[in-house]
Amino acid sequence: MPLASEIASFLAAEFPQSKCTVLSVGDKAATIRHEVGIAELRPGGTVAGPVLMTVADVALYVALLGEIGIVPLAVTTSLNINFLRKPSADRAIIGECKLIKLGRTLAVGEVSLYSEGLEEPVAHVVGTYAIPPRTA
């Protein structure tokens, strides 16, 4: 299976707009970090919802790629997010994903999002990815 550095290189090449960095991957899990700057904030001085959704989606994708290899056409089919508390505007967002089902055509995972260095999650996410058929 691919290493965190190989997945990070793939993401950098295919998603150059992404600010997510891969901290760890393996054992049906992944941890992602997204630096927060002024562009990621919404009125009220908090991290914008789309940034949180991005971190969760990337964490799911990385955890999946860590298990099935670099399969570019694995795609999100659902993403449900529950915003729990206001993220800190001056801390990076950390996404910790654990795959809870890895089948032949679908994978389901959950992601806890945190303001870096704080214990309480700012959001909880459950997502599903479709895995394309393997070619021989």
Side-chain angles (χ1 to χ4, degrees), residues 31-48:
T31 302
I32 302 300
R33 183 178 191 275
H34 186 293
E35 192 65 43
V36 172
I38 193 76
E40 287 75 33
L41 301 181
R42 64 175 295 278
T46 188
V47 179

Side-chain angles (χ1 to χ4, degrees), residues 2 4 12 21 50 70 77 81 87 114:
T21 55
I70 295 177
T77 60
I81 187 165
Y114 300 89

Side-chain angles (χ1 to χ4, degrees), residues 46-60:
T46 188
V47 179
V51 173
L52 298 176
M53 292 178 212
T54 296
V55 176
D57 195 32
V58 171
L60 283 160

Side-chain angles (χ1 to χ4, degrees), residues 23 30-34 55-56 59 93-97 111-114:
L23 300 181
T31 302
I32 302 300
R33 183 178 191 275
H34 186 293
V55 176
I93 297 295
I94 303 296
E96 296 178 354
C97 176
V111 182
S112 294
L113 298 174
Y114 300 89

Side-chain angles (χ1 to χ4, degrees), residues 50-132:
V51 173
L52 298 176
M53 292 178 212
T54 296
V55 176
D57 195 32
V58 171
L60 283 160
Y61 193 46
V62 169
L64 179 61
L65 297 182
E67 295 302 311
I68 68 170
I70 295 177
V71 179
L73 296 180
V75 295
T76 310
T77 60
S78 72
L79 191 71
N80 179 20
I81 187 165
N82 293 295
F83 300 102
L84 305 174
R85 56 190 48 85
K86 183 178 177 179
S88 181
D90 60 352
R91 294 175 182 255
I93 297 295
I94 303 296
E96 296 178 354
C97 176
K98 182 70 178 166
L99 296 178
I100 55 179
K101 177 196 187 294
L102 179 57
R104 194 174 41 81
T105 60
L106 291 176
V108 178
E110 65 177 348
V111 182
S112 294
L113 298 174
Y114 300 89
S115 289
E116 189 171 46
L118 300 180
E119 277 188 38
E120 296 292 324
V122 299
H124 177 260
V125 182
V126 175
T128 303
Y129 259 78
I131 303 167

